[in-house]
Amino acid sequence: MLKRLLARMFWAFSRWTLTSEAAPTRPTVLVGAPHTSNWDFVLMLAIAWRLGIDVHWLGKKSLFRGWRGPLMRGLGGIPVDRADPARVVNDVVGQVHAGTVFGLVVTPDGTRGGNEYWKSGFYRIARETGMPVTLGFVDRTTMTTGLGPTIDLTGDVAADMDRIRAFYADKAGARPERRTEPRLREEQPAPGADARE
């Protein structure tokens, strides 16, 4: 109740407008994009708390050291040990099988944009767990933010990413100059592929 109250207060005074499709009713990988500002984290929490979504997000272990650990975990953070990334997928699968409804927030365009490709972790987690992908967005041009459609990935990376690109085509992010085009390195043809055809 406290989180929903805080969220209502935030949206009442924010210059951003929440415009969203219905909250997912099953566990989902919640893509946060374009990720171009630290304010995206605040907006993500405000969206989730307003819609009643239990969110978890992945963060490097250093964020959870000392006094920050309990705070970050309380906000839904899951520390990631880069030496054992498979453990995260196993933990997520366990929550799915337990029947917990939650959103696992992933920012595939990296830390506040500026990369050539999106990171493919969100795609791998969704495919390995059987979770759908919900497209969260921030758009400075309309000053709107919220959740878009929830889609099931097919395993055809290029086709799935075409659907994701179409949704984000007109979304600029809080800092448009930092926006990264939704594209995975895995979409590129293998070297020499043209020569074999």
Side-chain angles (χ1 to χ4, degrees):
M1 288 298 292
L2 178 59
K3 289 180 178 179
R4 286 211 174 190
L5 178 60
L6 290 172
R8 284 195 184 102
M9 291 174 58
F10 175 87
W11 292 114
F13 293 101
S14 176
R15 55 196 186 113
W16 291 89
T17 300
L18 174 60
T19 170
S20 182
E21 296 196 15
T25 57
R26 56 182 173 143
T28 187
V29 175
L30 205 166
V31 171
H35 179 36
T36 61
S37 165
N38 286 327
W39 277 102
D40 297 343
F41 179 74
V42 176
L43 290 169
M44 177 269 295
L45 288 179
I47 293 166
W49 292 356
R50 182 66 183 90
L51 298 178
I53 303 172
D54 180 23
V55 291
H56 303 296
W57 49 274
L58 307 178
K60 54 188 177 182
K61 284 180 68 175
S62 60
L63 288 174
F64 296 81
R65 290 183 186 142
W67 63 269
R68 293 180 297 182
L71 175 62
M72 294 299 182
R73 287 184 177 86
L75 293 174
I78 301 172
V80 176
D81 182 355
R82 292 183 177 175
D84 187 20
R87 185 185 63 79
V88 174
V89 175
N90 291 337
D91 288 349
V92 172
V93 170
Q95 291 191 50
V96 172
H97 290 163
T100 306
V101 178
F102 64 96
L104 178 66
V105 179
V106 181
T107 53
D109 47 351
T111 306
R112 295 178 299 283
N115 300 306
E116 186 177 358
Y117 297 100
W118 273 20
K119 296 177 181 178
S120 60
F122 84 96
Y123 195 97
R124 292 197 312 272
I125 290 173
R127 290 291 295 166
E128 289 180 30
T129 61
M131 294 165 71
V133 171
T134 299
L135 305 180
F137 70 94
V138 175
D139 184 17
R140 181 66 176 268
T141 56
T142 59
M143 292 303 292
T144 58
T145 183
L147 302 183
T150 295
I151 63 176
D152 289 296
L153 301 180
T154 66
D156 182 334
V157 179
D160 290 337
M161 288 305 297
D162 280 343
R163 293 174 68 192
I164 293 171
R165 267 189 293 277
F167 175 76
Y168 285 112
D170 61 350
K171 310 295 188 293
R175 299 283 299 274
E177 70 277 9
R178 294 180 176 175
R179 183 182 184 277
T180 299
E181 177 72 9
R183 188 170 305 282
L184 301 183
R185 195 178 300 274
E186 289 80 354
E187 293 181 73
Q188 305 307 310
D194 292 340
R196 290 193 300 269
E197 294 179 356

